Amino acid sequence: MRTALVYHEEMTAARLLWEDPECEIERPERLTAALERLQQGGLEQRCLQLAAREASEAELGLVHSPEYVSLLRGTQALGTEELRALSGQYDAVYFHPNTFHCARLAVGAALQLVDAVLTGAAHNGLALVRPPGHHSQRAAANGFCVFNNVAIAAKHAQQKHGLQRILIVDWDVHHGQGIQYIFEDDPSVLYFSWHRYEHGCFWPYLQESDADAVGLGQGRGFTVNLPWNQVGMGNADYMAAFLHVLLPVAFEFDPELVLVSAGFDSAVGDPEGQMQATPECFAHLTQLLQVLAGGRVCAVLEGGYHLESLSQSVCMVVKALLGDPAPPLSGSMVPRHSALESIQSVRAAQAPHWTSLQQQGPARLLNPSTCSPEGRRPSVSPGGPGFKAAEAQGSAVPRSLLDQLHLYPTPPARTAAALTAQDAALVLPPDVLRPEGSAPQEETRAWARLHEALAQDTAFIALGKVLHLLNGILDGQVSSGIATTPAAAATLEVAIRHGLSHRAQRVLCVAVGQLDRPPDLASDGRNLWLNIRGKEAAALSMFHVSVPLPGTTGGFLSCILALVLPLAYGFQPDLVLVALGPAHGLQDPQAALLAALLRGPAGGRVLVLVEQRKTQREREHKRGVGEGEAGSRRAGSPMRGWIPGLRDHDLGRRQTPNRLSHPGAQHCDFWGPVSRRFFSRADKFLSSAALTEQSSSEKATSQPGQGLEHPRPERGA
Ligand code: Q9C
Ligand code: ZN
């Protein structure tokens, strides 16, 4: 299955016919520029290309009133002056004789995309449309939007495909108040929007765009608004919003489909948004969403008015949908103070509705929001020096050696598996490479001298295969890999040393279970050791962090989202080694989720080492234990769930959408018994990291001397 790209040239046939500075940015070139860039990048050709159809009037009626649809039908016959007069009845809208046709194609494109994904013809996809949709209401055009493309697509997915839970992620820089109104009392559609708000001083100037608008009646908690009160939000802020707000809620909601109101006016250079996030950020946001709903992600274009920034961002989304590794994020990964305030205010407003937000968040330490000009970054304008400067700033960040060498190509194979003889009979998915090779005897023997355990037969053979796999990853032949070994600890140490001596500037190790940090590993900042095992959260050094096993703290996901990923993104590793050692305690879906999410900060370069199970009996016993969890295992390989980056569709569809990719919100133990103490400590850790840029008075509130206090490891050393 593949990535669908839905488009129709005729959507360029409507344009502004008179002078109007507010509306002139919504131009046909938005579509042609994006499409051209997709073609140049060879991306369009990799997609399942679908020509958009017009939506029927019945389909428009899923959201809009018959009178409004009739009014729009009538615009086809109007002259310019009549069109202009009618346009003036709405806020920031223009009509053209072709508007009705284009708007029906835009809705139709969204519906085709949803149909393709929900029938299995495609795995995910993007609809390139105009006019946009998210401001449009039951009986009103608004903000360049005529019909609400995404809202109609959601209703369609419910009515035609029987879906019960749909997540709408609106990353356009404006508040999609149209979508909010349509679903505000409906608990079956979770609407998340971040938007430029500036304490209500930005269009559309609505109080109901603020964080305390959480939905009405049965729908309370199913509207999640994250208002940005300053311009200049960047990669760190957007990633923090996903990790600390959207993803916890989304996992708990457990959607069957993710619709993205994909506006790119939230990207650097856009005249409307005045934000700083780079196009690469949208690849990461897309990747994060792909762990939801079994990867069923349908993105539909909304805004985005800087043609260059828009085109690059569109390419990044399509690359991510295709499964390519995401380029590293430039700039500091420390969120801004104002961003943390916004994140905290929405967490507080939503906490009554979501268990996953009930742990006190890092930003609780911050004071209530005030419109302070400090920390404000210079804004950028399209094509102007600001945009150039922002771009230059990005490229001034020293790229890792690996990324310089490979210039982010797509590795020929996504995942390779090196298995020991005992596991060799396992049936792997068709796209997983089974490399025959081993590292040269000499090389393997040299490394094996490091540990007695590696001299033993199976361990030695496994080491040769691991080294071969690692070389494949470091050379860009494969993206990620998995290997079994009877000596995980020793093999991991070799992998770290080998990685650091071959191209990798920084290696992140996520060691789960009983695996000790090799004592004589250099503390030069090139290795960050994260052990998920300890009884207590502890930062033993800046580059040696220990957190409790998920089983003892509950909240495996909280641990991953609030701690592991922020650390990983801050560290910017060239390679991630995940080791599942003795007593790792992870279920397959948890391990799969961990591996999939760690692709993000590492350019996709993840190697998973699994301590081989010793006997057949032990193996069967272990399998038996996990059997109670419905849907999490199917016949065949118990390794399957551990393949990093492996998507549901590679294994065929299941009845319940996303039980494999994560344990699912309905399982009561999902968030586990929350250890308040752990979270308060982890939060201090995070807040101290997040607040390194803040003033000393704010720092004082983070209670130094208690719990974890140390700065986040910065790039380099
Ligand atoms: N300078 C979309 O992005 N004008 N619509 C705001 C503030 C209206 C945006 C004026 C912007 C509408 C889909
Ligand atoms: Zn917008």
Side-chain angles (χ1 to χ4, degrees), residues 4-344:
L5 182 66
V6 195
Y7 176 73
H8 200 295
E9 208 188 318
E10 288 169 15
M11 282 185 286
T12 60
R15 61 191 167 82
L16 180 63
L17 293 174
W18 51 86
E19 189 105 333
D20 181 349
E22 190 175 30
C23 290
E24 69 191 6
I25 55 176
E26 204 295 291
R27 313 187 275 141
E29 290 76 16
R30 297 177 56 235
L31 288 191
T32 48
L35 194 72
E36 233 163 71
R37 186 60 70 93
L38 284 172
Q39 289 163 347
Q40 285 165 2
L43 294 168
E44 187 202 31
Q45 299 84 321
R46 293 171 61 196
C47 292
L48 172 66
Q49 297 174 49
L50 300 175
R53 65 166 171 94
E54 279 192 323
S56 69
E57 295 210 2
E59 287 164 338
L60 302 178
L62 290 170
V63 160
H64 299 285
S65 72
E67 298 75 21
Y68 178 67
V69 174
S70 297
L71 178 80
L72 260 295
R73 194 191 309 116
T75 60
Q76 296 174 102
L78 299 183
T80 303
E81 277 316 308
E82 294 163 303
L83 287 167
R84 187 173 182 165
L86 184 63
S87 302
Q89 298 192 9
Y90 301 102
D91 185 7
V93 169
Y94 68 87
F95 293 119
H96 180 279
N98 293 330
T99 290
F100 185 62
H101 178 55
C102 290
R104 283 176 64 180
L105 284 174
V107 174
L111 297 181
Q112 267 174 301
L113 177 55
V114 163
D115 285 338
V117 167
L118 293 180
T119 59
H123 172 245
N124 56 33
L126 171 71
L128 277 182
V129 304
R130 61 185 286 274
H134 70 151
H135 298 303
S136 145
Q137 295 148 42
R138 179 174 158 80
N142 182 280
F144 316 149
C145 301
V146 177
F147 298 130
N148 203 312
N149 310 317
V150 166
I152 297 170
K155 293 269 192 195
H156 173 84
Q158 294 182 322
Q159 301 212 342
K160 281 277 150 50
H161 299 277
L163 296 201
Q164 300 188 336
R165 291 180 311 282
I166 298 172
L167 169 65
I168 298 177
V169 177
D170 188 340
W171 71 42
D172 185 283
V173 86
H174 300 98
H175 181 218
Q177 86 280 33
I179 300 181
Q180 176 169 312
Y181 298 154
I182 291 159
F183 297 110
E184 62 190 351
D185 61 353
D186 184 346
S188 69
V189 175
L190 172 55
Y191 176 64
F192 170 88
S193 173
W194 66 35
H195 33 268
R196 179 172 171 187
Y197 185 62
E198 297 179 294
H199 302 278
C201 297
F202 188 70
W203 191 90
Y205 312 104
L206 300 169
Q207 276 201 328
E208 61 264 34
S209 306
D210 211 345
D212 61 1
V214 299
L216 303 175
Q218 292 281 95
R220 286 176 65 77
F222 296 91
T223 293
V224 179
N225 280 329
L226 172 40
W228 299 124
N229 286 319
Q230 288 182 6
V231 295
M233 296 302 162
N235 297 342
D237 307 306
Y238 286 5
M239 293 301 288
F242 266 44
L243 295 180
H244 300 305
V245 179
L246 174 61
L247 289 178
V249 169
F251 270 106
E252 197 173 338
F253 179 64
D254 190 22
E256 298 158 301
L257 174 70
V258 179
L259 298 175
V260 185
S261 265
F264 299 98
D265 40 19
S266 46
V268 64
D270 193 277
E272 277 289 309
Q274 303 287 322
M275 298 299 180
Q276 302 267 16
T278 59
E280 294 76 31
C281 192
F282 293 92
H284 289 268
L285 300 179
T286 304
Q287 270 191 353
L288 289 174
L289 294 181
Q290 286 177 285
V291 300
L292 298 163
R296 292 176 189 85
V297 175
C298 295
V300 181
L301 182 67
E302 298 280 0
Y305 308 101
H306 186 286
L307 297 186
E308 177 63 20
S309 182
L310 165 69
S311 308
Q312 285 185 25
S313 300
V314 164
C315 287
M316 285 295 158
V317 168
V318 172
K319 274 176 74 67
L321 290 174
L322 285 163
D324 290 2
L329 290 174
S330 57
S332 155
M333 284 311 291
V334 181
R336 317 177 69 185
H337 181 81
S338 170
L340 290 172
E341 285 183 322
S342 295
I343 286 169
Q344 175 52 15

